[in-house]
Amino acid sequence: MKRRKFVKNSIALGSTITLAASQSNLTVAKDKTAENKIEKHKFNLKYAPHFGMFTNHSGKDLLDQLQFMSEVGFTALEDNGMPRRSVEDQKKIGKKMEQLGMEMGVFVAYANFNEVTFAGNNKDAREGVLKNIRSAVEVAKRCNAKWMTVVPGAYDKKLHWDYQTANCVELLKRCSDILEPHGLVMVLEPLNWHANHPGVFLTKMPQSYMICKAVNSPSCKILDDLYHQQITEGNLIPNIDMSWDEIAYFQVGDNPGRKEPTTGEINYNNVFKHIHKKGFNGIVGMEHGNSQSGKEGELAVIEAYKKSDAFL
């Protein structure tokens, strides 16, 4: 499942927020009967579902979805498509999360999979990136976000790789200058070139680590998407250790299939145990689909995280 499809689906599934306070818990209450009660679970890590993941239980209203996520134990949300939502909806989501004690995970501040942007010399393209970052600051304020995803575009087939890296570092420094005064953090996401995003510039953890070290800003860190890195290079835990001081955020999805943990080859119980032991206090984004449809599939997702989180 590609990020663009995630964004499209999540917005389509939750395009409207109901204003009536009396409706905010109606759908959730349907599964709170004695025979269908879903007990609230206390997770060790801050797992963040996305809109659309539990609509068979909660309905499509965004605030009801947040309510359900909170009531089953999730303490964070991520929403790639937040910048495409109305200003009004961004504020309502932020307010509802504050009421529930939930944290906002990443939204996509800039992602280009096909054009040369960060790695190239095109002035207009680079100015377009900076415009997006300035806009993302305002989005973050409305929904109480701290982190935002940045995908640095495609690589330039006609330019030496080292020049491309230098171009990328320079533009990231300019982005960091925008974000630092607000305490915001862009997280760079290396993507796999094999299954989802051929031609992208940023693909591996060592590459991401080197770039973040060169930028040398608290506003430029790594998003370690373990689904992508399992495909690209594997060696998940050693790469986590070697890149640790530059990692600010994780995303997960099992491989193959990009569904919830326990459906593929990644031992997420060991991975989650490892990052918890290292003291990770950030957010783990659930950027994947459900392996089964309907309410059964949604319950399977919840159970998969309970199982993978059971390490104490």
Side-chain angles (χ1 to χ4, degrees):
M1 185 178 292
K2 295 185 178 181
R3 181 184 304 283
R4 285 166 285 187
K5 187 173 181 181
F6 269 122
V7 174
K8 181 179 178 182
N9 288 349
S10 62
I11 293 176
L13 285 166
S15 58
T16 320
I17 291 181
T18 306
L19 289 173
S22 61
Q23 295 184 1
S24 62
N25 293 315
L26 289 180
T27 313
V28 175
K30 292 179 182 178
D31 265 61
K32 293 299 180 179
T33 59
E35 64 270 22
N36 294 319
K37 184 176 177 63
I38 304 173
E39 295 292 339
K40 187 169 187 175
H41 185 77
K42 183 173 177 57
F43 292 100
N44 294 302
L45 295 172
K46 300 174 185 176
Y47 304 108
H50 55 80
F51 288 125
M53 185 166 268
F54 301 114
T55 53
N56 288 284
H57 280 90
S58 66
K60 294 183 179 181
D61 181 89
L62 298 183
L63 301 190
D64 285 347
Q65 291 183 57
L66 285 170
Q67 184 74 35
F68 178 81
M69 293 173 192
S70 176
E71 291 196 9
V72 298
F74 294 112
T75 56
L77 167 85
E78 68 174 30
D79 182 26
N80 287 335
M82 184 69 79
R84 300 186 186 184
R85 301 193 188 280
S86 68
V87 169
E88 182 181 16
D89 280 0
Q90 291 170 7
K91 291 179 178 178
K92 288 178 182 177
I93 291 167
K95 183 178 180 180
K96 180 67 172 178
M97 292 181 68
E98 186 176 6
Q99 292 171 348
L100 294 170
M102 296 177 71
E103 293 185 46
M104 181 65 202
V106 292
F107 62 86
V108 176
Y110 183 85
N112 194 310
F113 306 95
N114 302 309
E115 298 177 4
V116 178
T117 51
F118 281 77
N121 292 310
N122 186 294
K123 182 178 179 180
D124 290 339
R126 294 168 75 81
E127 288 299 324
V129 169
L130 296 174
K131 181 179 178 181
N132 274 46
I133 298 300
R134 293 187 189 99
S135 176
V137 171
E138 300 307 312
V139 175
K141 290 178 181 178
R142 296 183 197 116
C143 62
N144 301 321
K146 179 179 180 179
W147 299 277
M148 58 189 73
T149 304
V150 169
V151 176
Y155 68 85
D156 191 333
K157 297 177 182 178
K158 297 182 179 180
L159 188 63
H160 192 282
W161 198 263
D162 291 347
Y163 290 126
Q164 294 186 64
T165 300
N167 288 339
C168 183
V169 168
E170 191 275 333
L171 184 52
L172 287 170
K173 286 182 176 180
R174 295 178 66 187
C175 293
S176 296
D177 288 342
I178 296 170
L179 297 173
E180 281 185 24
H182 305 281
L184 300 176
V185 183
M186 59 181 165
V187 284
L188 310 182
E189 183 178 9
L191 303 172
N192 81 80
W193 53 266
H194 175 70
N196 300 101
H197 303 291
V200 292
F201 172 73
L202 193 67
T203 59
K204 296 182 178 181
M205 291 298 290
Q207 179 193 13
S208 306
Y209 184 78
M210 174 184 66
I211 288 172
C212 285
K213 284 297 184 186
V215 176
N216 191 29
S217 168
S219 289
C220 183
K221 296 295 179 181
I222 299 172
L223 189 173
D224 187 356
D225 187 318
L226 297 165
Y227 161 76
H228 285 295
Q229 292 317 304
Q230 175 69 1
I231 295 172
T232 302
E233 53 193 340
N235 209 32
L236 297 181
I237 288 177
N239 271 317
I240 288 171
D241 288 344
M242 288 184 283
S243 302
W244 185 251
D245 60 329
E246 296 294 339
I247 296 174
Y249 199 98
F250 286 94
Q251 285 180 330
V252 300
D254 219 334
N255 181 63
R258 201 172 189 177
K259 306 301 182 184
E260 68 269 16
T262 73
T263 59
E265 65 187 359
I266 302 175
N267 188 337
Y268 271 115
N269 183 266
N270 275 356
V271 173
F272 292 157
K273 179 180 179 180
H274 186 75
I275 65 174
H276 182 269
K277 186 177 180 181
K278 290 178 73 70
F280 183 71
N281 193 39
I283 291 175
V284 178
M286 298 160 57
E287 198 191 34
H288 56 74
N290 298 1
S291 63
Q292 305 174 50
S293 61
K295 286 189 174 183
E296 294 77 10
E298 295 173 1
L299 292 174
V301 169
I302 297 169
E303 289 303 314
Y305 278 90
K306 288 181 182 179
K307 180 178 180 181
S308 299
D309 187 72
F311 47 72
L312 292 181

Short mmCIF file of all heavy atoms in Angstrom, two decimals, residues 94-151:
data_model
loop_
_atom_site.label_atom_id
_atom_site.label_comp_id
_atom_site.label_asym_id
_atom_site.label_seq_id
_atom_site.Cartn_x
_atom_site.Cartn_y
_atom_site.Cartn_z
N GLY A 94 -7.21 18.62 16.67
CA GLY A 94 -6.27 18.99 17.72
C GLY A 94 -6.95 19.14 19.07
O GLY A 94 -6.44 18.67 20.10
N LYS A 95 -8.11 19.78 19.09
CA LYS A 95 -8.83 19.98 20.34
C LYS A 95 -9.32 18.66 20.92
O LYS A 95 -9.22 18.42 22.13
CB LYS A 95 -10.02 20.91 20.10
CG LYS A 95 -10.81 21.24 21.36
CD LYS A 95 -11.93 22.21 21.05
CE LYS A 95 -12.73 22.54 22.33
NZ LYS A 95 -13.84 23.50 22.05
N LYS A 96 -9.86 17.79 20.07
CA LYS A 96 -10.36 16.49 20.54
C LYS A 96 -9.22 15.65 21.11
O LYS A 96 -9.37 14.99 22.16
CB LYS A 96 -11.04 15.75 19.39
CG LYS A 96 -11.61 14.39 19.76
CD LYS A 96 -12.77 14.50 20.74
CE LYS A 96 -13.45 13.16 20.96
NZ LYS A 96 -14.56 13.24 21.93
N MET A 97 -8.08 15.66 20.45
CA MET A 97 -6.94 14.89 20.94
C MET A 97 -6.46 15.42 22.28
O MET A 97 -6.09 14.66 23.18
CB MET A 97 -5.81 14.90 19.90
CG MET A 97 -6.14 14.14 18.63
SD MET A 97 -4.78 14.16 17.47
CE MET A 97 -3.60 13.15 18.33
N GLU A 98 -6.48 16.72 22.43
CA GLU A 98 -6.09 17.33 23.70
C GLU A 98 -7.03 16.88 24.82
O GLU A 98 -6.60 16.55 25.93
CB GLU A 98 -6.10 18.85 23.58
CG GLU A 98 -5.56 19.57 24.79
CD GLU A 98 -5.48 21.07 24.59
OE1 GLU A 98 -5.95 21.57 23.54
OE2 GLU A 98 -4.95 21.75 25.49
N GLN A 99 -8.32 16.84 24.53
CA GLN A 99 -9.31 16.40 25.51
C GLN A 99 -9.10 14.94 25.90
O GLN A 99 -9.31 14.56 27.05
CB GLN A 99 -10.72 16.59 24.95
CG GLN A 99 -11.13 18.04 24.78
CD GLN A 99 -12.45 18.19 24.02
OE1 GLN A 99 -12.94 17.22 23.42
NE2 GLN A 99 -13.01 19.40 24.03
N LEU A 100 -8.67 14.12 24.93
CA LEU A 100 -8.48 12.69 25.18
C LEU A 100 -7.09 12.36 25.73
O LEU A 100 -6.82 11.21 26.08
CB LEU A 100 -8.70 11.91 23.88
CG LEU A 100 -10.12 11.92 23.31
CD1 LEU A 100 -10.12 11.30 21.90
CD2 LEU A 100 -11.08 11.16 24.22
N GLY A 101 -6.22 13.34 25.77
CA GLY A 101 -4.85 13.09 26.21
C GLY A 101 -4.03 12.34 25.19
O GLY A 101 -3.10 11.61 25.56
N MET A 102 -4.36 12.51 23.91
CA MET A 102 -3.63 11.84 22.84
C MET A 102 -2.61 12.78 22.21
O MET A 102 -2.79 14.00 22.20
CB MET A 102 -4.60 11.35 21.76
CG MET A 102 -5.58 10.30 22.23
SD MET A 102 -6.76 9.80 20.92
CE MET A 102 -5.67 8.88 19.80
N GLU A 103 -1.54 12.22 21.69
CA GLU A 103 -0.51 13.00 21.00
C GLU A 103 -0.67 12.89 19.49
O GLU A 103 -1.10 11.85 18.98
CB GLU A 103 0.89 12.51 21.39
CG GLU A 103 1.26 12.75 22.83
CD GLU A 103 2.69 12.34 23.12
OE1 GLU A 103 3.58 12.70 22.33
OE2 GLU A 103 2.91 11.64 24.12
N MET A 104 -0.31 13.95 18.81
CA MET A 104 -0.34 13.94 17.35
C MET A 104 1.00 13.45 16.82
O MET A 104 2.06 13.95 17.20
CB MET A 104 -0.62 15.35 16.82
CG MET A 104 -0.68 15.44 15.30
SD MET A 104 -2.07 14.52 14.61
CE MET A 104 -1.50 14.24 12.93
N GLY A 105 0.94 12.45 15.96
CA GLY A 105 2.13 11.96 15.29
C GLY A 105 2.40 12.74 14.03
O GLY A 105 2.04 13.91 13.91
N VAL A 106 3.00 12.10 13.05
CA VAL A 106 3.40 12.80 11.83
C VAL A 106 2.22 13.10 10.92
O VAL A 106 1.22 12.39 10.92
CB VAL A 106 4.44 12.01 11.01
CG1 VAL A 106 5.75 11.92 11.74
CG2 VAL A 106 3.91 10.63 10.63
N PHE A 107 2.37 14.16 10.16
CA PHE A 107 1.63 14.38 8.93
C PHE A 107 2.68 14.62 7.85
O PHE A 107 3.86 14.85 8.16
CB PHE A 107 0.65 15.56 9.04
CG PHE A 107 1.30 16.88 9.33
CD1 PHE A 107 1.78 17.68 8.30
CD2 PHE A 107 1.41 17.36 10.63
CE1 PHE A 107 2.38 18.91 8.55
CE2 PHE A 107 2.00 18.59 10.90
CZ PHE A 107 2.48 19.37 9.85
N VAL A 108 2.30 14.54 6.60
CA VAL A 108 3.27 14.71 5.52
C VAL A 108 3.40 16.20 5.17
O VAL A 108 2.46 16.81 4.66
CB VAL A 108 2.87 13.91 4.27
CG1 VAL A 108 3.85 14.19 3.13
CG2 VAL A 108 2.85 12.41 4.58
N ALA A 109 4.56 16.75 5.47
CA ALA A 109 4.83 18.15 5.13
C ALA A 109 5.28 18.28 3.69
O ALA A 109 4.92 19.24 3.00
CB ALA A 109 5.90 18.71 6.06
N TYR A 110 6.09 17.32 3.24
CA TYR A 110 6.53 17.34 1.85
C TYR A 110 6.90 15.92 1.43
O TYR A 110 7.66 15.24 2.11
CB TYR A 110 7.75 18.24 1.63
CG TYR A 110 8.14 18.30 0.17
CD1 TYR A 110 7.52 19.20 -0.70
CD2 TYR A 110 9.08 17.42 -0.35
CE1 TYR A 110 7.83 19.22 -2.05
CE2 TYR A 110 9.39 17.43 -1.70
CZ TYR A 110 8.77 18.33 -2.54
OH TYR A 110 9.07 18.34 -3.89
N ALA A 111 6.35 15.49 0.31
CA ALA A 111 6.69 14.17 -0.24
C ALA A 111 6.56 14.23 -1.75
O ALA A 111 5.49 14.53 -2.28
CB ALA A 111 5.79 13.09 0.33
N ASN A 112 7.64 13.95 -2.42
CA ASN A 112 7.64 13.87 -3.87
C ASN A 112 8.40 12.61 -4.24
O ASN A 112 9.56 12.44 -3.87
CB ASN A 112 8.29 15.11 -4.49
CG ASN A 112 8.00 15.20 -5.97
OD1 ASN A 112 8.20 14.24 -6.71
ND2 ASN A 112 7.55 16.36 -6.42
N PHE A 113 7.74 11.73 -4.99
CA PHE A 113 8.34 10.44 -5.30
C PHE A 113 8.93 10.37 -6.71
O PHE A 113 9.66 9.43 -7.01
CB PHE A 113 7.28 9.34 -5.16
CG PHE A 113 6.59 9.34 -3.82
CD1 PHE A 113 5.39 10.01 -3.64
CD2 PHE A 113 7.15 8.69 -2.74
CE1 PHE A 113 4.76 10.01 -2.41
CE2 PHE A 113 6.53 8.68 -1.50
CZ PHE A 113 5.33 9.35 -1.34
N ASN A 114 8.63 11.35 -7.53
CA ASN A 114 8.98 11.24 -8.95
C ASN A 114 9.88 12.37 -9.46
O ASN A 114 10.58 12.19 -10.45
CB ASN A 114 7.70 11.21 -9.79
CG ASN A 114 6.80 10.06 -9.41
OD1 ASN A 114 7.23 8.91 -9.33
ND2 ASN A 114 5.53 10.36 -9.16
N GLU A 115 9.86 13.52 -8.81
CA GLU A 115 10.62 14.67 -9.31
C GLU A 115 11.87 14.91 -8.47
O GLU A 115 11.89 14.64 -7.27
CB GLU A 115 9.75 15.92 -9.30
CG GLU A 115 8.52 15.82 -10.20
CD GLU A 115 7.63 17.06 -10.11
OE1 GLU A 115 8.03 18.00 -9.39
OE2 GLU A 115 6.56 17.06 -10.72
N VAL A 116 12.90 15.43 -9.10
CA VAL A 116 14.13 15.78 -8.40
C VAL A 116 13.90 17.12 -7.70
O VAL A 116 13.65 18.13 -8.35
CB VAL A 116 15.32 15.88 -9.38
CG1 VAL A 116 16.58 16.29 -8.64
CG2 VAL A 116 15.52 14.56 -10.10
N THR A 117 13.97 17.12 -6.39
CA THR A 117 13.73 18.35 -5.62
C THR A 117 14.93 18.66 -4.73
O THR A 117 15.75 19.50 -5.05
CB THR A 117 12.45 18.22 -4.78
OG1 THR A 117 12.49 16.99 -4.03
CG2 THR A 117 11.22 18.21 -5.68
N PHE A 118 15.06 17.95 -3.63
CA PHE A 118 16.16 18.19 -2.69
C PHE A 118 17.53 17.92 -3.33
O PHE A 118 18.50 18.61 -3.05
CB PHE A 118 16.01 17.30 -1.46
CG PHE A 118 15.00 17.79 -0.46
CD1 PHE A 118 13.64 17.63 -0.70
CD2 PHE A 118 15.40 18.42 0.70
CE1 PHE A 118 12.70 18.06 0.21
CE2 PHE A 118 14.47 18.87 1.63
CZ PHE A 118 13.11 18.69 1.39
N ALA A 119 17.60 16.90 -4.18
CA ALA A 119 18.89 16.48 -4.71
C ALA A 119 19.37 17.32 -5.90
O ALA A 119 20.54 17.26 -6.27
CB ALA A 119 18.81 15.02 -5.14
N GLY A 120 18.48 18.11 -6.46
CA GLY A 120 18.83 18.84 -7.67
C GLY A 120 19.14 20.31 -7.47
O GLY A 120 19.23 20.80 -6.34
N ASN A 121 19.27 21.01 -8.60
CA ASN A 121 19.64 22.42 -8.58
C ASN A 121 18.52 23.35 -9.04
O ASN A 121 18.74 24.55 -9.20
CB ASN A 121 20.86 22.64 -9.48
CG ASN A 121 22.10 21.99 -8.92
OD1 ASN A 121 22.44 22.18 -7.76
ND2 ASN A 121 22.80 21.21 -9.75
N ASN A 122 17.33 22.79 -9.26
CA ASN A 122 16.23 23.61 -9.76
C ASN A 122 15.73 24.56 -8.67
O ASN A 122 15.19 24.13 -7.64
CB ASN A 122 15.08 22.70 -10.24
CG ASN A 122 13.97 23.48 -10.90
OD1 ASN A 122 13.28 24.26 -10.25
ND2 ASN A 122 13.79 23.27 -12.20
N LYS A 123 15.92 25.84 -8.91
CA LYS A 123 15.60 26.85 -7.89
C LYS A 123 14.11 26.86 -7.57
O LYS A 123 13.72 26.95 -6.40
CB LYS A 123 16.05 28.23 -8.38
CG LYS A 123 15.79 29.33 -7.36
CD LYS A 123 16.29 30.67 -7.85
CE LYS A 123 16.01 31.77 -6.83
NZ LYS A 123 16.49 33.10 -7.30
N ASP A 124 13.26 26.76 -8.59
CA ASP A 124 11.81 26.80 -8.36
C ASP A 124 11.36 25.61 -7.51
O ASP A 124 10.51 25.75 -6.62
CB ASP A 124 11.06 26.81 -9.69
CG ASP A 124 11.22 28.12 -10.43
OD1 ASP A 124 11.56 29.14 -9.79
OD2 ASP A 124 11.01 28.14 -11.66
N ALA A 125 11.92 24.44 -7.82
CA ALA A 125 11.55 23.25 -7.06
C ALA A 125 11.96 23.39 -5.60
O ALA A 125 11.21 23.02 -4.68
CB ALA A 125 12.19 22.01 -7.68
N ARG A 126 13.11 23.93 -5.37
CA ARG A 126 13.62 24.09 -4.00
C ARG A 126 12.81 25.14 -3.24
O ARG A 126 12.52 24.96 -2.05
CB ARG A 126 15.10 24.43 -4.05
CG ARG A 126 15.94 23.26 -4.59
CD ARG A 126 17.36 23.66 -4.93
NE ARG A 126 18.18 23.83 -3.75
CZ ARG A 126 18.76 22.85 -3.07
NH1 ARG A 126 18.60 21.58 -3.46
NH2 ARG A 126 19.52 23.10 -2.02
N GLU A 127 12.42 26.19 -3.92
CA GLU A 127 11.58 27.20 -3.27
C GLU A 127 10.20 26.62 -2.95
O GLU A 127 9.58 26.99 -1.95
CB GLU A 127 11.45 28.43 -4.16
CG GLU A 127 12.71 29.27 -4.25
CD GLU A 127 13.15 29.82 -2.89
OE1 GLU A 127 12.28 30.16 -2.08
OE2 GLU A 127 14.38 29.89 -2.66
N GLY A 128 9.73 25.72 -3.80
CA GLY A 128 8.45 25.06 -3.54
C GLY A 128 8.50 24.23 -2.27
O GLY A 128 7.52 24.17 -1.51
N VAL A 129 9.63 23.59 -2.02
CA VAL A 129 9.80 22.82 -0.78
C VAL A 129 9.68 23.74 0.43
O VAL A 129 8.97 23.46 1.40
CB VAL A 129 11.16 22.10 -0.77
CG1 VAL A 129 11.44 21.52 0.62
CG2 VAL A 129 11.20 21.00 -1.82
N LEU A 130 10.37 24.86 0.39
CA LEU A 130 10.37 25.80 1.51
C LEU A 130 8.97 26.36 1.75
O LEU A 130 8.56 26.55 2.91
CB LEU A 130 11.35 26.94 1.24
CG LEU A 130 12.82 26.52 1.14
CD1 LEU A 130 13.68 27.70 0.73
CD2 LEU A 130 13.31 25.94 2.47
N LYS A 131 8.23 26.57 0.69
CA LYS A 131 6.85 27.03 0.84
C LYS A 131 6.01 26.00 1.58
O LYS A 131 5.21 26.35 2.46
CB LYS A 131 6.25 27.31 -0.55
CG LYS A 131 4.82 27.82 -0.52
CD LYS A 131 4.31 28.09 -1.93
CE LYS A 131 2.85 28.57 -1.89
NZ LYS A 131 2.32 28.82 -3.26
N ASN A 132 6.19 24.74 1.24
CA ASN A 132 5.46 23.66 1.92
C ASN A 132 5.82 23.59 3.40
O ASN A 132 4.96 23.37 4.26
CB ASN A 132 5.77 22.31 1.26
CG ASN A 132 4.89 22.02 0.08
OD1 ASN A 132 4.67 22.88 -0.77
ND2 ASN A 132 4.39 20.81 0.01
N ILE A 133 7.09 23.79 3.71
CA ILE A 133 7.54 23.71 5.10
C ILE A 133 6.95 24.88 5.90
O ILE A 133 6.50 24.69 7.05
CB ILE A 133 9.07 23.71 5.19
CG1 ILE A 133 9.65 22.48 4.49
CG2 ILE A 133 9.52 23.77 6.65
CD1 ILE A 133 9.19 21.16 5.06
N ARG A 134 6.90 26.04 5.32
CA ARG A 134 6.29 27.18 6.03
C ARG A 134 4.82 26.93 6.28
O ARG A 134 4.30 27.23 7.37
CB ARG A 134 6.47 28.46 5.20
CG ARG A 134 7.91 28.93 5.07
CD ARG A 134 8.00 30.28 4.40
NE ARG A 134 9.38 30.63 4.07
CZ ARG A 134 9.93 30.47 2.88
NH1 ARG A 134 9.20 29.99 1.86
NH2 ARG A 134 11.19 30.80 2.67
N SER A 135 4.13 26.36 5.32
CA SER A 135 2.72 26.03 5.49
C SER A 135 2.54 24.97 6.56
O SER A 135 1.58 25.00 7.34
CB SER A 135 2.14 25.55 4.16
OG SER A 135 0.80 25.14 4.30
N ALA A 136 3.47 24.01 6.62
CA ALA A 136 3.37 22.92 7.60
C ALA A 136 3.48 23.43 9.03
O ALA A 136 2.91 22.83 9.95
CB ALA A 136 4.46 21.89 7.33
N VAL A 137 4.19 24.52 9.22
CA VAL A 137 4.29 25.11 10.57
C VAL A 137 2.90 25.50 11.07
O VAL A 137 2.54 25.24 12.23
CB VAL A 137 5.21 26.35 10.56
CG1 VAL A 137 5.13 27.09 11.89
CG2 VAL A 137 6.65 25.94 10.27
N GLU A 138 2.09 26.08 10.20
CA GLU A 138 0.75 26.50 10.60
C GLU A 138 -0.16 25.30 10.84
O GLU A 138 -0.98 25.30 11.76
CB GLU A 138 0.15 27.41 9.52
CG GLU A 138 0.96 28.68 9.27
CD GLU A 138 1.23 29.45 10.55
OE1 GLU A 138 0.28 29.66 11.33
OE2 GLU A 138 2.39 29.83 10.77
N VAL A 139 -0.01 24.27 10.01
CA VAL A 139 -0.78 23.03 10.22
C VAL A 139 -0.45 22.43 11.58
O VAL A 139 -1.34 22.04 12.35
CB VAL A 139 -0.50 22.01 9.11
CG1 VAL A 139 -1.20 20.68 9.40
CG2 VAL A 139 -0.95 22.54 7.76
N ALA A 140 0.83 22.39 11.91
CA ALA A 140 1.27 21.81 13.17
C ALA A 140 0.69 22.56 14.36
O ALA A 140 0.29 21.94 15.37
CB ALA A 140 2.80 21.81 13.24
N LYS A 141 0.61 23.86 14.27
CA LYS A 141 0.05 24.65 15.36
C LYS A 141 -1.42 24.32 15.59
O LYS A 141 -1.88 24.26 16.73
CB LYS A 141 0.20 26.14 15.05
CG LYS A 141 1.63 26.66 15.10
CD LYS A 141 1.67 28.13 14.74
CE LYS A 141 3.10 28.68 14.76
NZ LYS A 141 3.14 30.11 14.36
N ARG A 142 -2.15 24.08 14.52
CA ARG A 142 -3.60 23.85 14.64
C ARG A 142 -3.90 22.50 15.27
O ARG A 142 -4.89 22.35 15.99
CB ARG A 142 -4.25 23.93 13.26
CG ARG A 142 -4.15 25.30 12.62
CD ARG A 142 -4.88 25.34 11.28
NE ARG A 142 -4.45 26.49 10.49
CZ ARG A 142 -3.81 26.43 9.33
NH1 ARG A 142 -3.55 25.24 8.81
NH2 ARG A 142 -3.47 27.52 8.70
N CYS A 143 -3.09 21.49 14.99
CA CYS A 143 -3.40 20.14 15.48
C CYS A 143 -2.42 19.67 16.55
O CYS A 143 -2.38 18.48 16.87
CB CYS A 143 -3.46 19.15 14.32
SG CYS A 143 -1.90 18.95 13.42
N ASN A 144 -1.63 20.60 17.09
CA ASN A 144 -0.70 20.28 18.18
C ASN A 144 0.33 19.22 17.79
O ASN A 144 0.64 18.32 18.57
CB ASN A 144 -1.47 19.83 19.43
CG ASN A 144 -2.43 20.88 19.93
OD1 ASN A 144 -2.13 22.07 19.92
ND2 ASN A 144 -3.61 20.46 20.36
N ALA A 145 0.84 19.32 16.58
CA ALA A 145 1.83 18.35 16.10
C ALA A 145 3.24 18.84 16.37
O ALA A 145 3.50 20.04 16.46
CB ALA A 145 1.64 18.11 14.61
N LYS A 146 4.15 17.91 16.49
CA LYS A 146 5.57 18.23 16.63
C LYS A 146 6.38 17.70 15.45
O LYS A 146 7.35 18.31 15.03
CB LYS A 146 6.13 17.63 17.92
CG LYS A 146 7.62 17.89 18.14
CD LYS A 146 8.12 17.31 19.44
CE LYS A 146 9.62 17.58 19.62
NZ LYS A 146 10.14 17.05 20.91
N TRP A 147 5.96 16.54 14.91
CA TRP A 147 6.72 15.88 13.86
C TRP A 147 6.01 15.96 12.52
O TRP A 147 4.78 15.95 12.46
CB TRP A 147 6.93 14.40 14.21
CG TRP A 147 7.67 14.18 15.48
CD1 TRP A 147 9.03 14.18 15.65
CD2 TRP A 147 7.11 13.90 16.76
NE1 TRP A 147 9.34 13.92 16.96
CE2 TRP A 147 8.18 13.75 17.67
CE3 TRP A 147 5.80 13.76 17.24
CZ2 TRP A 147 8.00 13.49 19.02
CZ3 TRP A 147 5.61 13.50 18.59
CH2 TRP A 147 6.69 13.36 19.46
N MET A 148 6.79 16.03 11.47
CA MET A 148 6.23 16.04 10.11
C MET A 148 7.16 15.27 9.19
O MET A 148 8.39 15.35 9.29
CB MET A 148 6.05 17.47 9.61
CG MET A 148 7.30 18.31 9.59
SD MET A 148 6.96 20.05 9.24
CE MET A 148 6.21 20.59 10.78
N THR A 149 6.58 14.49 8.30
CA THR A 149 7.36 13.66 7.38
C THR A 149 7.84 14.46 6.18
O THR A 149 7.09 15.25 5.60
CB THR A 149 6.51 12.48 6.88
OG1 THR A 149 6.02 11.75 7.99
CG2 THR A 149 7.33 11.57 5.98
N VAL A 150 9.09 14.23 5.80
CA VAL A 150 9.65 14.81 4.58
C VAL A 150 10.28 13.69 3.76
O VAL A 150 11.11 12.92 4.27
CB VAL A 150 10.70 15.89 4.90
CG1 VAL A 150 11.47 16.29 3.64
CG2 VAL A 150 10.03 17.13 5.51
N VAL A 151 9.86 13.58 2.51
CA VAL A 151 10.46 12.65 1.55
C VAL A 151 11.19 13.49 0.51
O VAL A 151 10.56 14.25 -0.22
CB VAL A 151 9.39 11.77 0.88
CG1 VAL A 151 10.03 10.88 -0.19
CG2 VAL A 151 8.65 10.93 1.90
#
